[in-house]
Amino acid sequence: MTQADQQDAYREDVLGSGYEVRTLPLRPDDEGDVVATLVRSTVPGGSRRAVLYVHGFVDYFFQTHLADAWHEAGFDFYAVDLRKYGRSLLGHQTANYITSLEDYDEELDEAARIIREDEGHDVLVVMGHSTGGLVTSLWAHRRRGRGIVDALVLNSPWFDLHASLFQRTLGTAAVHRIGTLRPRAVVGKLGVSYGHFLHRDNGGEWDYSLTWKPHGGFPVVAAWLAGVRRGHAELNRGLAIDCPVLVACSDATSNPAKEPARISSTDVVLDVAHIAGRAPKLGGLVTLVRITGGIHDLTLSPEPARSTFFAELARWQEAYVPAAPGR
């Protein structure tokens, strides 16, 4: 199969019946070949409105109940596994590694083009979780005025480090320097508590690939973190996203090492005060929703928080997402 044929061909996804994927070949980088992966739900019905979901750090698309919720609201559903994540991670690559969040513009532009031009959707909602929320915010800002994104949904977006003031200032300066001198130097790692809570093997509610989403994540390397911190700084200066934005997060943050009992009802990954405080910097039409009992990925929250989130999402999209022409 040629590269062109591979790009255009859908095939069955690892999720099985009801999901297909196509490979998006991208420009090579210093590690070699690069791809992203576009996933689509094949639930019959069809719509002129679509959703493109973008995952977070150490993550990939597996939340089929999220696709179901959007289908019930009258949308076709797509997701993208960004370069070096999940379905897109190649054997020669450093997992999750990029040096600028703008690198993701290539696959987001191509996914949006396919959804709109090739597959005939007039309305596009983009939904980003955690790091994906930061990535899609900056991308939507750069693509403003082009009619690409009609609405933006941010599920616990990563707007700042969940760290001390020292780490967010002097520590960031050190990361920038290390990222220049030793871009793949390991400067941090994730805890395992959140993953253990989520996964079915440990008594959690969710089943997903521990190869693509390991409990302890992948090493946090300097150049990647420096790129994220540049994105944080840009957002903090203020964006001008020109479509309606929904920002949703938990009502509380906790430390799983100090308060293990609260892992099921709080965000243990990010500081939700950062999310709420920076939401107004996104653009002129921003709605903030705080979900009582929500966890970091609100779509994976225990009930009743999960249903509350989906109800708020449905109410918001009815109010702010444009109808397809001719509806």
Side-chain angles (χ1 to χ4, degrees), residues 260-323:
R262 300 185 70 200
I263 195 170
S264 62
S265 60
T266 60
D267 192 327
V268 298
V269 178
L270 298 180
D271 186 338
V272 295
H274 293 158
I275 299 173
R278 287 158 179 73
K281 295 176 178 287
L282 294 168
L285 184 54
V286 179
T287 302
L288 174 65
V289 173
R290 307 290 293 270
I291 304 297
T292 301
I295 63 170
H296 179 54
D297 187 340
L298 295 168
T299 71
L300 306 182
S301 297
E303 294 290 9
R306 181 164 72 243
S307 292
T308 299
F309 168 67
F310 281 119
E312 293 293 342
L313 176 58
R315 183 166 65 168
W316 177 85
Q317 72 86 8
E318 283 287 345
Y320 288 106
V321 177

Side-chain angles (χ1 to χ4, degrees), residues 26-218:
L26 305 173
R27 291 188 297 271
D29 65 7
D30 64 348
E31 294 187 325
D33 290 342
V34 179
V35 301
T37 308
L38 184 64
V39 185
R40 73 174 178 185
S41 170
T42 60
V43 171
S47 173
R48 302 294 293 276
R49 300 195 296 175
V51 172
L52 175 63
Y53 174 77
V54 183
H55 57 79
F57 180 53
V58 190
D59 208 354
Y60 72 102
F61 171 66
F62 64 91
Q63 301 92 332
T64 57
H65 66 293
L66 173 61
D68 294 341
W70 280 109
H71 280 303
E72 290 172 8
F75 292 78
D76 288 346
F77 185 86
Y78 298 78
V80 62
D81 277 9
L82 300 170
R83 63 187 68 199
K84 306 185 183 182
Y85 283 90
R87 300 164 178 84
S88 306
L89 180 61
L90 305 179
H92 63 274
Q93 294 176 326
T94 303
N96 308 165
Y97 180 75
I98 46 88
T99 59
S100 170
L101 297 183
E102 290 189 40
D103 292 349
Y104 299 126
D105 288 2
E106 186 179 5
E107 53 257 54
L108 293 177
D109 287 344
E110 178 62 3
R113 187 199 65 77
I114 291 168
I115 293 167
R116 283 188 172 276
E117 297 179 15
D118 292 359
E119 306 198 359
H121 295 89
D122 299 305
V123 174
L124 178 60
V125 178
V126 176
M127 181 176 187
H129 168 56
S130 197
T131 310
L134 175 65
V135 168
T136 55
S137 295
L138 296 170
W139 175 69
H141 169 71
R142 289 191 290 270
R143 298 299 181 263
R144 65 193 183 279
R146 303 187 192 182
I148 296 175
V149 183
D150 293 294
L152 182 64
V153 177
L154 305 177
N155 167 13
S156 303
W158 188 18
F159 286 166
D160 203 346
L161 287 182
H162 184 192
S164 67
L165 179 61
F166 175 84
Q167 290 171 300
R168 288 186 283 122
T169 53
L170 296 179
T172 293
V175 163
H176 284 305
R177 182 162 180 79
I178 296 169
T180 300
L181 299 174
R182 298 175 55 211
R184 291 176 177 80
V186 176
V187 294
K189 63 179 182 179
L190 300 182
V192 301
S193 299
Y194 180 61
H196 282 169
F197 168 73
L198 291 177
H199 201 269
R200 186 169 296 171
D201 286 354
N202 304 98
E205 192 172 351
W206 307 102
D207 190 19
Y208 51 81
S209 169
L210 293 177
T211 299
W212 291 343
K213 187 178 171 64
H215 294 328
F218 298 102

